[in-house]
Amino acid sequence: MSVITYTVTGMTCGHCVSSVKEEVGEVSGVTGVDVDLATGRVDVSGDSLDDAAVRAAIKEAGYQVAG
């Protein structure tokens, strides 16, 4: 299993956290999503993670990946 960390901008509340967790959690291979609202850090764990798919899911939730 691997973990990829993203910095996500635009999250301001618990609903934002839930939206990101829900969208990213639906990506194939993802087994866990941990979101830290204060820092914008999103840790995605799973097997054979598709970086582009995770980034697209974050965008679908309405947020941007920094960098």
Side-chain angles (χ1 to χ4, degrees), residues 19-20 23-24 26 53-64:
S19 295
V20 170
E23 289 292 336
V24 174
E26 292 178 2
V54 172
R55 288 174 180 268
I58 292 169
K59 187 173 181 179
E60 181 67 28
Y63 309 98
Q64 297 296 319

Side-chain angles (χ1 to χ4, degrees), residues 25-66:
E26 292 178 2
V27 174
S28 179
V30 171
T31 58
V33 182
D34 184 45
V35 179
D36 184 329
L37 179 61
T39 63
R41 179 180 168 136
V42 178
D43 294 323
V44 181
S45 55
D47 297 314
S48 303
L49 293 174
D50 182 342
D51 180 64
V54 172
R55 288 174 180 268
I58 292 169
K59 187 173 181 179
E60 181 67 28
Y63 309 98
Q64 297 296 319
V65 176

